[in-house]
Amino acid sequence: STENSILNSGGSALQRLLGYDKNSGSVTVFANLSYSEPISDKLSLNVNVRTRSANSKEEESATDLLTGKHSDYLSSGNYIRNTDLQEHILLQYSHSQHNLQAGFSLYETYNETAIRSLGVDSVTGKDEWLLNWSPSVDYRYNKGSLSLNTSYSGMTTTPSGKQLSSVLELSDPVNIS
């Protein structure tokens, strides 16, 4: 794409004709690993690990078409690296009419974003992993037509940017807090 602009400053005009070369791409990889280990005839351990990793980039390289010179200042781009890792560990006990499952889940997220705009580089999320975990318990009893099921599970979530940032109260323009 091209941009044609005229900059007027101090009584003189500077014409600028820019060409932009765009380059973008992304790669996503998924993996899943499950394992079950019988500890005894009534007890087993189940482990499941899932991961997703995604990398994407977008670059826009600016060139002054009148001089043929590359402009780092007017070039821009971003690079995003995101990895999600989920681990589930479950202990299961089964005997006759009873089935008990207890375990926990771990959720790990890495999200790094690098941006270049107007000659300034900024990076967020580098070397920062967010960790959430949650427990779970499930008990089932079945005997003939009688069935009982009770379960408990917890959940955590990462707070949003709005939850972390205070919001300005603008209802009274004289008293902004």
Side-chain angles (χ1 to χ4, degrees):
S1 67
T2 60
E3 172 190 319
N4 188 2
S5 60
I6 297 176
L7 176 64
N8 290 310
S9 176
S12 64
L14 173 66
Q15 182 176 9
R16 184 171 62 186
L17 181 62
L18 296 174
Y20 290 97
D21 181 24
K22 295 182 181 184
N23 182 15
S24 64
S26 65
V27 174
T28 303
V29 177
F30 295 92
N32 188 30
L33 176 65
S34 295
Y35 179 73
S36 182
E37 177 68 35
I39 298 172
S40 68
D41 60 338
K42 298 175 186 169
L43 191 63
S44 67
L45 177 69
N46 301 302
V47 177
N48 182 274
V49 178
R50 284 181 236 156
T51 186
R52 181 190 65 81
S53 183
N55 293 325
S56 66
K57 73 171 186 174
E58 293 182 14
E59 295 174 335
E60 204 170 74
S61 180
T63 302
D64 186 328
L65 297 178
L66 297 175
T67 64
K69 292 184 180 178
H70 171 74
S71 173
D72 274 340
Y73 182 76
L74 297 172
S75 297
S76 63
N78 67 61
Y79 173 78
I80 299 171
R81 189 172 122 203
N82 178 267
T83 301
D84 294 317
L85 186 61
Q86 298 178 9
E87 299 104 348
H88 306 282
I89 298 175
L90 184 68
L91 193 60
Q92 181 174 346
Y93 173 80
S94 294
H95 178 67
S96 169
Q97 303 95 350
H98 305 276
N99 185 308
L100 176 65
Q101 296 179 357
F104 65 93
S105 299
L106 293 173
Y107 304 96
E108 300 171 68
T109 302
Y110 180 83
N111 191 22
E112 177 183 341
T113 303
I115 298 173
R116 179 175 184 81
S117 180
L118 300 176
V120 177
D121 292 325
S122 64
V123 177
T124 60
K126 185 173 177 76
D127 299 327
E128 293 179 17
W129 282 87
L130 300 175
L131 174 66
N132 289 317
W133 67 278
S134 61
S136 65
V137 174
D138 184 65
Y139 173 73
R140 295 172 192 235
Y141 174 80
N142 292 311
K143 185 171 183 178
S145 64
L146 177 64
S147 178
L148 171 68
N149 182 20
T150 182
S151 63
Y152 167 81
S153 64
M155 186 177 99
T156 60
T157 58
T158 304
S160 68
K162 186 174 182 179
Q163 291 170 320
L164 294 175
S165 300
S166 60
V167 177
L168 288 177
E169 173 57 55
L170 301 175
S171 60
D172 181 3
V174 175
N175 185 15
I176 296 176
S177 60

